[in-house]
């Protein structure tokens, strides 16, 4: 038996890549994910890290990385589909599986068969198990905005000193298209009242996580909201609150008002659409919203026909 084992082992090691494969025996996908998080994801955002950490809890994470097959990847996607997960979310799993596997090959010389991954990805896409998320076009109606504003006004009267000024923050989001986290990072020192502009630090960017500071234009309404914010000694932020707290208050308001499927981020859609309805051109709107291109900007633009002003035809 010992002789047979030694012959099989010798044959295995003599095959192309055999020694390298032996070095990686017992190393699982979970081990590779841990190493990736440690070496390459120090500055990863919360959602990206959460996706990888969630993947580590599934059975596929316990598979030996060099033995991963297309069948196992497909089984993971089917299991997720059967549990009610949408194709766009399953796609995030597959994207990060690919990133981990390709990193293992390029950075650690792991003998992973990437053809197995590509075959699984191709089939999952053709069968509709993975796909891109649908573009969101939700805009709050004027009546919904008024109901939420009235809710915040009532809350402020009950506890004026202990509550985030959500009416102002909502109004500022609609006037500027700033995200909730961006609003809480605006500084008094970055505000230029004369030019009616302000810098937003670490603005969201698909590839640049930190240091993407940009200056944006403020409307008269936005300036009025800023001017009525109290300036606390030792506090540099214009809106010294936590983004998560703003999100919690927003969801509570929508629930109390019976408004469904309205996110704080939808106010960015509302702001962008209102700028176009006010007559601003694309390049002008970009000075407010800071969108990189029209391809990105149009995802946030949902014009209402009744708001469109008719122009006089030439020669009429």
């Amino acid at each position: 038996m010992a002789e047979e084992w030694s012959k099989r082992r010798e044959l295995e090691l003599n095959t192309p890549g055999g020694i390298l494969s032996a070095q990686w025996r017992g190393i699982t996908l979970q081990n590779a994910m841990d190493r990736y998080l440690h070496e390459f994801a120090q500055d990863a955002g919360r959602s990206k890290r959460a996706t990888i950490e969630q993947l580590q809890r599934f059975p596929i994470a316990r598979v030996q990385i060099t033995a991963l097959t297309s069948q196992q990847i497909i089984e993971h996607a089917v299991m997720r589909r059967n549990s009610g997960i949408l194709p766009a979310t399953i796609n995030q799993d597959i994207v990060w599986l690919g990133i981990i596997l390709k990193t293992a090959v390029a950075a650690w010389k792991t003998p992973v068969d990437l053809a197995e991954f590509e075959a699984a990805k191709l089939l999952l896409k053709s069968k509709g198990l993975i796909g891109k998320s649908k573009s969101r076009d939700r805009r709050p109606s004027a009546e919904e905005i008024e109901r939420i504003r009235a809710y915040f006004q009532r809350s402020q009267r009950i506890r004026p000193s202990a509550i985030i000024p959500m009416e102002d923050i909502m109004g500022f989001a609609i006037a500027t298209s700033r995200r909730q986290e961006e609003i809480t990072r605006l500084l008094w020192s970055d505000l230029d009242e004369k030019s009616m502009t302000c810098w937003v630090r670490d603005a969201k960017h698909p590839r640049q996580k930190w240091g993407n500071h940009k200056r944006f234009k403020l409307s008269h309404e936005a300036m009025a909201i800023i001017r009525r914010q109290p300036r606390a000694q030792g506090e540099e932020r214009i809106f010294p609150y936590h983004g998560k707290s703003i999100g919690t208050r927003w969801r509570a308001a929508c629930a109390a008002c019976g408004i469904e499927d309205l996110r704080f981020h939808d106010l960015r859609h509302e702001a962008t659409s209102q700028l176009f309805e006010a007559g601003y051109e694309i390049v002008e709107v970009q000075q407010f919203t800071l969108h990189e291109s029209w391809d990105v900007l149009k995802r946030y633009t949902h014009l209402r026909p009744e708001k469109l002003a008719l122009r006089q035809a030439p020669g009429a």
Side-chain angles (χ1 to χ4, degrees):
M1 289 177 66
E3 287 180 5
E4 281 188 35
W5 177 85
S6 64
K7 287 179 182 179
R8 287 198 307 271
R9 185 63 171 158
E10 185 178 357
L11 183 63
E12 181 182 291
L13 294 175
N14 284 334
T15 58
I19 294 176
L20 193 57
S21 296
Q23 292 174 345
W24 283 89
R25 182 173 283 108
I27 303 300
T28 64
L29 259 174
Q30 182 169 1
N31 299 141
M33 291 176 193
D34 283 333
R35 185 171 178 180
Y36 178 87
L37 288 172
H38 177 71
E39 295 182 10
F40 297 105
Q42 296 295 328
D43 297 328
R46 181 173 58 85
S47 62
K48 293 179 181 178
R49 180 173 287 273
T51 301
I52 297 174
E53 290 174 346
Q54 180 175 253
L55 267 174
Q56 291 180 309
R57 296 193 289 270
F58 292 116
I60 195 171
R62 295 187 285 275
V63 175
Q64 184 176 313
I65 189 170
T66 56
L68 183 67
T69 65
S70 58
Q71 180 182 357
Q72 290 166 319
I73 297 171
I74 293 167
E75 286 174 350
H76 170 79
V78 171
M79 178 269 293
R80 294 280 274 158
R81 190 272 313 273
N82 292 343
S83 65
I85 304 302
L86 295 175
T89 303
I90 301 173
N91 187 56
Q92 287 299 306
D93 286 7
I94 303 305
V95 166
W96 278 105
L97 270 176
I99 291 172
I100 300 298
L101 294 173
K102 291 171 185 177
T103 300
V105 171
W108 310 321
K109 301 301 180 184
T110 313
V112 173
D113 188 354
L114 292 178
E116 291 285 318
F117 169 77
E118 294 299 336
K121 183 179 175 181
L122 186 63
L123 185 137
L124 292 173
K125 189 173 182 180
S126 67
K127 299 300 182 183
L129 270 77
I130 60 174
K132 294 183 179 180
S133 59
K134 295 180 180 179
S135 179
R136 188 172 172 84
D137 60 1
R138 176 74 156 95
R139 283 184 67 180
S141 66
E143 189 265 342
E144 286 175 329
I145 290 295
E146 287 308 311
R147 282 161 59 191
I148 295 174
R149 179 175 284 114
Y151 171 86
F152 288 141
Q153 289 173 347
R154 290 194 301 271
S155 299
Q156 194 71 36
R157 285 196 298 269
I158 295 170
R159 299 176 63 195
S161 62
I163 295 182
I164 299 171
M166 285 297 298
E167 184 185 2
D168 275 352
I169 288 177
M170 178 181 71
F172 189 79
I174 296 174
T176 65
S177 83
R178 298 274 64 81
R179 302 173 177 88
Q180 62 195 63
E181 294 290 348
E182 291 177 345
I183 291 173
T184 63
R185 290 199 299 269
L186 301 179
L187 306 179
W188 288 108
S189 58
D190 288 338
L191 174 67
D192 187 336
E193 293 195 48
K194 185 176 181 181
S195 66
M196 292 180 60
T197 60
C198 189
W199 288 88
V200 57
R201 296 175 180 267
D202 300 321
K204 186 177 180 181
H205 190 276
R207 293 172 300 278
Q208 189 175 344
K209 180 66 177 175
W210 308 111
N212 187 40
H213 308 326
K214 289 192 172 184
R215 191 167 63 138
F216 66 97
K217 186 67 176 177
L218 291 159
S219 65
H220 291 289
E221 182 182 357
M223 280 301 307
I225 293 172
I226 287 177
R227 289 184 180 123
R228 61 175 175 258
Q229 301 311 305
R231 299 188 64 163
Q233 188 173 4
E235 177 56 70
E236 296 184 1
R237 295 179 298 161
I238 299 172
F239 300 96
Y241 312 103
H242 293 290
K244 288 184 180 179
S245 299
I246 292 173
T248 299
R249 292 282 296 136
W250 177 260
R251 289 188 293 273
C254 289
C257 295
I259 297 173
E260 297 181 357
D261 190 34
L262 183 61
R263 306 170 188 172
F264 189 90
H265 192 76
D266 292 333
L267 300 182
R268 183 163 165 83
H269 293 246
E270 177 67 17
T272 305
S273 299
Q274 282 192 14
L275 287 166
F276 279 113
E277 289 168 352
Y280 288 102
E281 301 292 336
I282 292 173
V283 292
E284 295 173 321
V285 171
Q286 287 177 308
Q287 304 307 307
F288 291 92
T289 67
L290 300 181
H291 286 103
E292 295 288 333
S293 65
W294 167 238
D295 285 337
V296 179
L297 182 59
K298 65 184 178 183
R299 292 176 51 210
Y300 285 86
T301 307
H302 312 291
L303 303 182
R304 293 187 174 118
E306 66 271 17
K307 295 285 186 178
L308 191 63
L310 296 178
R311 297 178 181 178
Q312 186 75 18

